[in-house]
Amino acid sequence: MFARIFDGLRRLFHSSAAAGNAGADQPEPLTSAEAGGEASVDPKGATTMSSKITSIADVRRHFLNNKRPIYFISATNFNLLGIGDWVGNFRHINYIDCFDRRQRNVFVPREKFPRDFEGIEDINNYLLEHKEVIDFIQSRAQGDDAGVAAFLMFDEHTEEVCKQLGLKVAFPPAALRSRMDNKIETVRIGNKAGVPSVPNVLAKVGSYQELLDVSRELGTDLVVQTAFGDSGHTTFFIASEDDYYKHAEEIEAEPEVKIMKRINCRGSAIEACATRSGTVVGPLMTELVGFKSLTPYKGGWCGNEMFAGAFSQEVRDKARECTFKFGEALREEGYRGYFELDFLIDMDTQDVYLGELNPRVTGASSLTNVAAFAHSDIPLFLFHLLEFSELDFDLNIDEINERWSHPDSVDSWSQLVIKHTEESVDLLTAAPASGVWRMEQDGSIAYDHYDSHPHAAENESEAFFLRISGEGDFRYEGADLGILITRGRLMDDDFQLTERAKSWIEGIRGQFSGQPLQDPVVEEVAVSHAIGGGNFKIL
């Protein structure tokens, strides 16, 4: 018995249990050939552009013909599902094998070495320094040019390793991204751009009385956020002194926190890309937040919905306008490329408030890049790759934004991020396979067939499931079990889960089974070394 437990513990170390100055350090662009553009070679061997890109068809052709290796390196391939259909020579390099080695464009090293990860940056650095990954990258390199790397998260060490490997990072510098990721900085940029936040103050807080003193005009029902971190872990709802002391240590450790008036709001998300031609803006999505059947974290993100009627037309137009303004302000700050904004919609006044900025691809990217508007033109992520190239392009961004804002361009998709919500730890002995699952009329579900793309789910009775935690992994409170993506809505107009959503959640959970751990020391070690969950967000 103990042998099996400790074998599972070893597997924890060998496989996952879950899932600046503005003008400084500007990102190095890719050459036209690097970004997949049509290029010619002059007599000296220099690569030159043969023509300017002026249309979506030009962009599509360039990336379909791309010969340079382009990689998305992360814990899983969730965030950029399906991008390989649009970009030649695109590969995922991942830590977690979601597809049981059935997916050709996903590379996962077979041998895993014991490591304590404190963030997704550590996972990516581990991958880049892994011999199997290095050999894989070098086997596809073109001389000294190893290709292009994109990440969900990375740091200065990542940049240094990529330089050594001959990889170009297709994102702004880590130092600039870190500054943009600061929730306090987001407020300041928003204020400068004319994008309002919920009434707030920014202040250092050393006691409950100080909190009340600096926020007197906001009332006593407050929301406090720290500068960095996932909102499910670093957003605190404080209406009393008892509430404050539950989080006093975290709040008082910060040099400055954001203190907001609590409003009756709904969360929403919108993704965009700041390019040299202007900011391309996707549709406004609703957010699933804090559902106890999906996440143990109050205020924790657990999914999205995309549909044409998300909120009123006035709210959608306002959110898109604010996103465009914010994107233009980011360009002035030196940031360019993919980003996401969370907006808080005041349900009493219909005011649209800036929530936070994520300067990267996000959990919502899986929907943004598979929707109808993306497939009628190109996925938003291709604008990001285009921006980090030396391709000479001049696109009519206003025309694209107008087209993408039309209700007919937005089909309906939803996703659920399913975590283990119980205060228990066990070793998984069975887990559902990634692929297409079907729901019967009685709400039961069954595996239908293998696929790696959400579009394989053809109707609302089908769903694409991406498994994160697998057999031999530990299941603990907060562990990511998997993501379910389906057509149609999974919340009603009152932002409550539909019966279909509840059936999918119950059905998927029922596919997991585990073996209880009897030794509390093993449990403690398992959770302390877990990936994701209470430690950090991997999606």
Side-chain angles (χ1 to χ4, degrees):
M1 171 64 181
F2 280 101
R4 293 186 65 186
I5 291 176
F6 281 101
D7 179 65
L9 183 57
R10 284 193 296 271
R11 293 185 65 175
L12 173 65
F13 296 109
H14 301 298
S15 65
S16 166
N21 292 330
D25 299 323
Q26 287 303 300
E28 183 179 357
L30 316 182
T31 67
S32 55
E34 290 167 356
E38 292 181 354
S40 60
V41 180
D42 68 20
K44 295 182 180 180
T47 303
T48 59
M49 278 304 300
S50 58
S51 61
K52 176 184 285 189
I53 285 182
T54 59
S55 70
I56 291 298
D58 292 341
V59 181
R60 187 184 297 121
R61 181 175 62 254
H62 277 298
F63 284 112
L64 285 173
N65 291 332
N66 175 63
K67 296 298 186 292
R68 189 182 194 203
I70 299 179
Y71 301 101
F72 177 60
I73 303 171
S74 194
T76 77
N77 71 324
F78 161 63
N79 306 85
L80 293 181
L81 284 166
I83 291 298
D85 295 345
W86 296 85
V87 181
N89 242 14
F90 184 90
R91 296 290 186 273
H92 297 272
I93 297 177
N94 299 144
Y95 185 82
I96 299 171
D97 183 8
C98 301
F99 296 105
D100 301 315
R101 302 198 174 276
R102 301 175 70 181
Q103 188 56 30
R104 181 179 179 274
N105 70 349
V106 175
F107 180 84
V108 179
R110 292 182 178 275
E111 188 172 6
K112 302 289 178 69
F113 303 98
R115 284 285 296 270
D116 288 343
F117 297 122
E118 296 183 0
I120 195 167
E121 297 91 339
D122 289 345
I123 295 177
N124 291 335
N125 293 337
Y126 165 87
L127 288 170
L128 286 168
E129 294 172 326
H130 194 295
K131 184 180 185 304
E132 291 180 46
V133 174
I134 293 172
D135 289 345
F136 176 68
I137 291 173
Q138 290 180 342
S139 72
R140 305 179 72 246
Q142 300 167 357
D144 293 334
D145 176 18
V148 180
F151 303 90
L152 181 63
M153 302 289 285
F154 64 94
D155 56 21
E156 286 86 351
H157 182 67
T158 318
E159 293 172 326
E160 179 60 31
V161 176
C162 284
K163 184 177 180 180
Q164 294 171 6
L165 293 175
L167 286 168
K168 292 186 181 294
V169 178
F171 263 103
L176 177 59
R177 290 215 319 168
S178 181
R179 183 167 72 85
M180 296 296 99
D181 205 16
N182 184 323
K183 294 181 178 64
I184 310 302
E185 186 70 12
T186 299
V187 174
R188 296 191 174 109
I189 295 174
N191 290 342
K192 182 179 177 181
V195 180
S197 298
V198 174
N200 69 88
V201 293
L202 307 176
K204 166 69 177 174
V205 173
S207 67
Y208 180 62
Q209 188 57 50
E210 282 189 23
L211 175 68
L212 295 181
D213 289 344
V214 299
S215 61
R216 185 172 289 108
E217 295 182 358
L218 303 178
T220 58
D221 196 358
L222 303 169
V223 180
V224 178
Q225 279 190 327
T226 59
F228 296 100
D230 174 28
S231 61
H233 300 86
T234 57
T235 298
F236 311 117
F237 299 89
I238 298 175
S240 68
E241 192 167 4
D242 287 342
D243 290 341
Y244 175 82
Y245 282 115
K246 292 177 184 176
H247 310 291
E249 184 176 353
E250 294 128 302
I251 293 171
E252 293 173 11
E254 294 292 318
E256 192 175 37
V257 294
K258 178 182 177 183
I259 307 161
M260 295 175 285
K261 174 184 178 180
R262 190 168 183 177
I263 62 174
N264 175 28
C265 65
R266 300 297 184 192
S268 64
I270 193 165
E271 294 196 311
C273 186
T275 78
R276 68 196 73 162
S277 292
T279 301
V280 186
V281 182
L284 186 67
M285 290 181 262
T286 62
E287 285 194 320
L288 283 71
V289 177
F291 285 110
K292 293 181 179 179
S293 59
L294 291 170
T295 178
Y297 307 119
K298 182 179 181 180
W301 168 77
C302 49
N304 296 91
E305 288 182 317
M306 176 185 292
F307 62 103
F311 303 104
S312 68
Q313 185 65 53
E314 181 180 0
V315 165
R316 297 198 302 273
D317 289 345
K318 182 63 175 177
R320 291 180 59 85
E321 177 188 353
C322 287
T323 303
F324 183 85
K325 288 181 178 179
F326 200 94
E328 297 303 289
L330 285 178
R331 291 205 294 156
E332 293 181 7
E333 296 286 334
Y335 181 90
R336 56 197 177 99
Y338 210 103
F339 69 95
E340 182 261 353
L341 294 178
D342 290 343
F343 286 103
L344 302 175
I345 314 301
D346 190 321
M347 301 307 289
D348 297 328
T349 66
Q350 295 298 293
D351 286 328
V352 177
Y353 293 117
L354 175 64
E356 63 182 64
L357 162 70
N358 289 298
R360 54 183 167 271
V361 295
T362 71
S365 303
S366 54
L367 295 190
T368 297
N369 289 292
V370 303
F373 66 87
H375 279 252
S376 62
D377 283 333
I378 57 172
L380 185 65
F381 187 69
L382 265 64
F383 287 101
H384 176 89
L385 292 179
L386 182 64
E387 177 61 21
F388 285 88
S389 72
E390 287 183 349
L391 291 169
D392 185 10
F393 70 89
D394 184 13
L395 298 173
N396 189 331
I397 299 300
D398 290 340
E399 181 181 278
I400 295 168
N401 283 335
E402 176 64 26
R403 188 161 61 244
W404 283 20
S405 69
H406 197 281
D408 289 344
S409 295
V410 183
D411 51 350
S412 184
W413 289 90
S414 297
Q415 64 181 12
L416 303 173
V417 179
I418 305 172
K419 295 179 181 290
H420 185 57
T421 58
E422 299 177 13
E423 294 182 4
S424 63
V425 182
D426 61 12
L427 185 68
L428 285 173
T429 56
S434 296
V436 177
W437 289 71
R438 172 174 289 277
M439 179 181 291
E440 303 300 333
Q441 291 187 350
D442 63 0
S444 63
I445 68 169
Y447 187 73
D448 192 83
H449 66 277
Y450 171 77
D451 208 290
S452 63
H453 199 297
H455 275 185
E458 295 181 348
N459 52 61
E460 294 188 15
S461 67
E462 295 181 344
F464 170 76
F465 179 71
L466 182 72
R467 188 196 65 227
I468 304 297
S469 294
E471 182 180 347
D473 291 331
F474 284 100
R475 180 171 54 173
Y476 54 90
E477 184 181 25
D480 289 293
L481 300 180
I483 301 102
L484 183 133
I485 303 175
T486 186
R487 297 177 186 269
R489 297 187 61 188
L490 293 176
M491 288 194 299
D492 59 27
D493 290 340
D494 294 321
F495 288 79
Q496 299 301 310
L497 293 174
T498 64
E499 290 304 314
R500 183 168 75 105
K502 294 175 183 177
S503 294
W504 275 118
I505 297 168
E506 181 180 352
I508 289 294
R509 287 195 184 283
Q511 304 298 317
F512 288 89
S513 59
Q515 175 181 304
L517 304 181
Q518 305 299 325
D519 189 335
V521 175
V522 175
E523 289 191 15
E524 182 178 353
V525 173
V527 174
S528 68
H529 290 81
I531 293 178
N535 291 344
F536 56 89
K537 185 176 179 180
I538 67 168
L539 305 175

CSV table of all heavy atoms in Angstrom, one decimal, residues 384-411:
chain,number,residue,atom,x,y,z
A,384,HIS,N,-1.0,39.0,-33.1
A,384,HIS,CA,0.2,39.0,-32.2
A,384,HIS,C,1.5,38.6,-32.9
A,384,HIS,O,2.5,39.3,-32.9
A,384,HIS,CB,-0.1,38.2,-31.0
A,384,HIS,CG,1.0,38.1,-30.0
A,384,HIS,ND1,1.2,39.0,-29.0
A,384,HIS,CD2,2.1,37.2,-29.9
A,384,HIS,CE1,2.3,38.7,-28.3
A,384,HIS,NE2,2.9,37.6,-28.9
A,385,LEU,N,1.4,37.4,-33.6
A,385,LEU,CA,2.6,37.0,-34.3
A,385,LEU,C,3.0,38.0,-35.4
A,385,LEU,O,4.2,38.2,-35.7
A,385,LEU,CB,2.3,35.6,-34.9
A,385,LEU,CG,2.2,34.4,-34.0
A,385,LEU,CD1,1.9,33.1,-34.7
A,385,LEU,CD2,3.4,34.3,-33.1
A,386,LEU,N,2.0,38.6,-36.1
A,386,LEU,CA,2.3,39.5,-37.1
A,386,LEU,C,3.0,40.8,-36.5
A,386,LEU,O,4.0,41.3,-37.1
A,386,LEU,CB,1.0,40.0,-37.8
A,386,LEU,CG,1.1,41.0,-38.9
A,386,LEU,CD1,1.8,40.4,-40.1
A,386,LEU,CD2,-0.3,41.4,-39.3
A,387,GLU,N,2.6,41.2,-35.3
A,387,GLU,CA,3.2,42.4,-34.7
A,387,GLU,C,4.6,42.1,-34.4
A,387,GLU,O,5.5,43.0,-34.5
A,387,GLU,CB,2.4,42.8,-33.5
A,387,GLU,CG,3.0,43.9,-32.7
A,387,GLU,CD,3.1,45.2,-33.5
A,387,GLU,OE1,2.3,45.4,-34.5
A,387,GLU,OE2,3.9,46.1,-33.1
A,388,PHE,N,5.0,40.9,-34.0
A,388,PHE,CA,6.3,40.6,-33.6
A,388,PHE,C,7.1,40.0,-34.8
A,388,PHE,O,7.8,39.1,-34.8
A,388,PHE,CB,6.4,39.6,-32.4
A,388,PHE,CG,6.0,40.3,-31.2
A,388,PHE,CD1,4.7,40.4,-30.8
A,388,PHE,CD2,7.0,40.9,-30.4
A,388,PHE,CE1,4.4,41.1,-29.6
A,388,PHE,CE2,6.7,41.6,-29.2
A,388,PHE,CZ,5.4,41.7,-28.8
A,389,SER,N,6.9,40.7,-35.9
A,389,SER,CA,7.6,40.3,-37.2
A,389,SER,C,8.1,41.6,-37.8
A,389,SER,O,7.7,42.7,-37.4
A,389,SER,CB,6.7,39.6,-38.2
A,389,SER,OG,5.7,40.5,-38.7
A,390,GLU,N,8.9,41.5,-38.8
A,390,GLU,CA,9.3,42.6,-39.6
A,390,GLU,C,8.6,42.7,-40.9
A,390,GLU,O,8.9,43.5,-41.8
A,390,GLU,CB,10.9,42.6,-39.9
A,390,GLU,CG,11.7,42.9,-38.6
A,390,GLU,CD,13.2,42.9,-38.9
A,390,GLU,OE1,13.6,42.5,-40.1
A,390,GLU,OE2,13.9,43.3,-38.1
A,391,LEU,N,7.5,42.0,-40.9
A,391,LEU,CA,6.6,42.1,-42.1
A,391,LEU,C,6.1,43.5,-42.2
A,391,LEU,O,5.7,44.1,-41.3
A,391,LEU,CB,5.4,41.1,-42.0
A,391,LEU,CG,5.8,39.6,-42.0
A,391,LEU,CD1,4.6,38.8,-41.6
A,391,LEU,CD2,6.2,39.2,-43.4
A,392,ASP,N,6.1,44.0,-43.4
A,392,ASP,CA,5.6,45.4,-43.7
A,392,ASP,C,4.1,45.2,-43.9
A,392,ASP,O,3.7,44.7,-44.9
A,392,ASP,CB,6.3,45.9,-45.0
A,392,ASP,CG,5.9,47.3,-45.2
A,392,ASP,OD1,5.3,48.0,-44.4
A,392,ASP,OD2,6.2,47.8,-46.3
A,393,PHE,N,3.4,45.7,-42.9
A,393,PHE,CA,1.9,45.5,-43.0
A,393,PHE,C,1.2,46.9,-42.7
A,393,PHE,O,1.7,47.7,-41.9
A,393,PHE,CB,1.4,44.4,-42.1
A,393,PHE,CG,1.4,44.6,-40.7
A,393,PHE,CD1,0.4,45.2,-40.0
A,393,PHE,CD2,2.5,44.2,-39.9
A,393,PHE,CE1,0.4,45.4,-38.6
A,393,PHE,CE2,2.6,44.4,-38.5
A,393,PHE,CZ,1.5,45.0,-37.9
A,394,ASP,N,0.1,47.0,-43.3
A,394,ASP,CA,-0.8,48.2,-43.1
A,394,ASP,C,-2.2,47.7,-43.2
A,394,ASP,O,-2.8,47.6,-44.3
A,394,ASP,CB,-0.5,49.3,-44.1
A,394,ASP,CG,-1.3,50.5,-43.8
A,394,ASP,OD1,-1.9,50.6,-42.7
A,394,ASP,OD2,-1.4,51.4,-44.7
A,395,LEU,N,-2.8,47.3,-42.1
A,395,LEU,CA,-4.2,46.8,-42.1
A,395,LEU,C,-5.2,47.8,-41.6
A,395,LEU,O,-4.9,48.7,-40.8
A,395,LEU,CB,-4.3,45.5,-41.2
A,395,LEU,CG,-3.4,44.3,-41.6
A,395,LEU,CD1,-3.4,43.3,-40.5
A,395,LEU,CD2,-3.8,43.8,-42.9
A,396,ASN,N,-6.4,47.7,-42.2
A,396,ASN,CA,-7.5,48.6,-41.8
A,396,ASN,C,-8.1,48.1,-40.5
A,396,ASN,O,-9.0,47.3,-40.5
A,396,ASN,CB,-8.5,48.7,-42.9
A,396,ASN,CG,-9.5,49.8,-42.6
A,396,ASN,OD1,-9.8,50.1,-41.4
A,396,ASN,ND2,-10.1,50.4,-43.6
A,397,ILE,N,-7.6,48.5,-39.3
A,397,ILE,CA,-8.0,47.9,-38.0
A,397,ILE,C,-9.5,48.4,-37.8
A,397,ILE,O,-10.2,47.6,-37.2
A,397,ILE,CB,-7.1,48.4,-36.9
A,397,ILE,CG1,-5.7,47.9,-37.2
A,397,ILE,CG2,-7.6,47.9,-35.6
A,397,ILE,CD1,-5.5,46.4,-37.2
A,398,ASP,N,-9.8,49.6,-38.1
A,398,ASP,CA,-11.2,50.0,-37.9
A,398,ASP,C,-12.2,49.1,-38.6
A,398,ASP,O,-13.3,48.8,-38.0
A,398,ASP,CB,-11.4,51.5,-38.4
A,398,ASP,CG,-10.7,52.5,-37.5
A,398,ASP,OD1,-10.3,52.1,-36.4
A,398,ASP,OD2,-10.4,53.6,-38.0
A,399,GLU,N,-11.9,48.7,-39.8
A,399,GLU,CA,-12.8,47.8,-40.6
A,399,GLU,C,-12.9,46.5,-39.9
A,399,GLU,O,-14.0,45.9,-39.8
A,399,GLU,CB,-12.2,47.7,-42.0
A,399,GLU,CG,-13.0,46.8,-42.9
A,399,GLU,CD,-12.4,46.7,-44.3
A,399,GLU,OE1,-12.6,47.6,-45.1
A,399,GLU,OE2,-11.7,45.7,-44.5
A,400,ILE,N,-11.7,45.9,-39.4
A,400,ILE,CA,-11.7,44.6,-38.8
A,400,ILE,C,-12.6,44.7,-37.5
A,400,ILE,O,-13.4,43.9,-37.2
A,400,ILE,CB,-10.3,44.2,-38.4
A,400,ILE,CG1,-9.5,43.9,-39.7
A,400,ILE,CG2,-10.3,42.9,-37.6
A,400,ILE,CD1,-8.0,43.8,-39.6
A,401,ASN,N,-12.4,45.8,-36.7
A,401,ASN,CA,-13.1,45.9,-35.4
A,401,ASN,C,-14.6,46.1,-35.7
A,401,ASN,O,-15.4,45.5,-34.9
A,401,ASN,CB,-12.6,47.1,-34.6
A,401,ASN,CG,-11.3,46.8,-33.9
A,401,ASN,OD1,-11.0,45.7,-33.6
A,401,ASN,ND2,-10.5,47.9,-33.7
A,402,GLU,N,-15.0,46.8,-36.7
A,402,GLU,CA,-16.4,46.9,-37.1
A,402,GLU,C,-17.0,45.6,-37.4
A,402,GLU,O,-18.1,45.2,-37.0
A,402,GLU,CB,-16.5,47.9,-38.2
A,402,GLU,CG,-18.0,48.1,-38.7
A,402,GLU,CD,-18.9,48.7,-37.7
A,402,GLU,OE1,-18.4,49.4,-36.8
A,402,GLU,OE2,-20.1,48.4,-37.8
A,403,ARG,N,-16.3,44.8,-38.2
A,403,ARG,CA,-16.7,43.5,-38.6
A,403,ARG,C,-16.9,42.6,-37.4
A,403,ARG,O,-17.8,41.8,-37.2
A,403,ARG,CB,-15.8,42.9,-39.6
A,403,ARG,CG,-16.3,41.6,-40.3
A,403,ARG,CD,-15.5,41.4,-41.6
A,403,ARG,NE,-14.1,41.3,-41.5
A,403,ARG,CZ,-13.2,42.1,-42.0
A,403,ARG,NH1,-13.6,43.2,-42.6
A,403,ARG,NH2,-11.9,41.9,-41.8
A,404,TRP,N,-15.9,42.6,-36.5
A,404,TRP,CA,-15.9,41.7,-35.3
A,404,TRP,C,-16.9,42.1,-34.3
A,404,TRP,O,-17.3,41.3,-33.5
A,404,TRP,CB,-14.5,41.7,-34.7
A,404,TRP,CG,-13.5,40.8,-35.5
A,404,TRP,CD1,-13.6,40.5,-36.8
A,404,TRP,CD2,-12.3,40.3,-35.0
A,404,TRP,NE1,-12.5,39.7,-37.1
A,404,TRP,CE2,-11.7,39.6,-36.1
A,404,TRP,CE3,-11.6,40.4,-33.8
A,404,TRP,CZ2,-10.4,39.0,-35.9
A,404,TRP,CZ3,-10.4,39.7,-33.6
A,404,TRP,CH2,-9.8,39.0,-34.7
A,405,SER,N,-17.4,43.3,-34.3
A,405,SER,CA,-18.4,43.8,-33.4
A,405,SER,C,-19.8,43.4,-33.8
A,405,SER,O,-20.7,43.4,-33.0
A,405,SER,CB,-18.3,45.3,-33.2
A,405,SER,OG,-18.8,46.0,-34.4
A,406,HIS,N,-20.0,42.9,-35.0
A,406,HIS,CA,-21.3,42.6,-35.5
A,406,HIS,C,-21.8,41.3,-34.9
A,406,HIS,O,-21.0,40.3,-34.8
A,406,HIS,CB,-21.3,42.4,-37.0
A,406,HIS,CG,-22.6,42.5,-37.7
A,406,HIS,ND1,-23.5,41.4,-37.7
A,406,HIS,CD2,-23.3,43.5,-38.3
A,406,HIS,CE1,-24.6,41.8,-38.3
A,406,HIS,NE2,-24.5,43.0,-38.7
A,407,PRO,N,-23.0,41.2,-34.4
A,407,PRO,CA,-23.5,40.0,-33.7
A,407,PRO,C,-23.4,38.8,-34.6
A,407,PRO,O,-23.2,37.7,-34.0
A,407,PRO,CB,-25.0,40.4,-33.5
A,407,PRO,CG,-25.0,41.9,-33.4
A,407,PRO,CD,-24.0,42.3,-34.4
A,408,ASP,N,-23.5,38.9,-35.9
A,408,ASP,CA,-23.4,37.7,-36.8
A,408,ASP,C,-22.0,37.1,-36.8
A,408,ASP,O,-21.9,35.9,-37.2
A,408,ASP,CB,-23.8,38.0,-38.2
A,408,ASP,CG,-25.3,38.3,-38.3
A,408,ASP,OD1,-26.1,37.9,-37.4
A,408,ASP,OD2,-25.7,38.9,-39.4
A,409,SER,N,-21.0,37.9,-36.3
A,409,SER,CA,-19.7,37.4,-36.3
A,409,SER,C,-19.4,36.6,-35.0
A,409,SER,O,-18.3,36.0,-34.9
A,409,SER,CB,-18.7,38.5,-36.4
A,409,SER,OG,-18.8,39.2,-37.6
A,410,VAL,N,-20.3,36.6,-34.1
A,410,VAL,CA,-20.0,35.9,-32.8
A,410,VAL,C,-21.0,34.8,-32.6
A,410,VAL,O,-22.2,34.9,-32.4
A,410,VAL,CB,-20.2,37.0,-31.6
A,410,VAL,CG1,-19.9,36.3,-30.3
A,410,VAL,CG2,-19.4,38.2,-31.8
A,411,ASP,N,-20.4,33.5,-32.7
A,411,ASP,CA,-21.2,32.4,-32.4
A,411,ASP,C,-21.1,32.1,-30.9
A,411,ASP,O,-20.4,32.8,-30.1
A,411,ASP,CB,-20.8,31.2,-33.2
A,411,ASP,CG,-19.3,30.9,-33.2
A,411,ASP,OD1,-18.6,31.7,-32.6
A,411,ASP,OD2,-18.9,29.8,-33.7
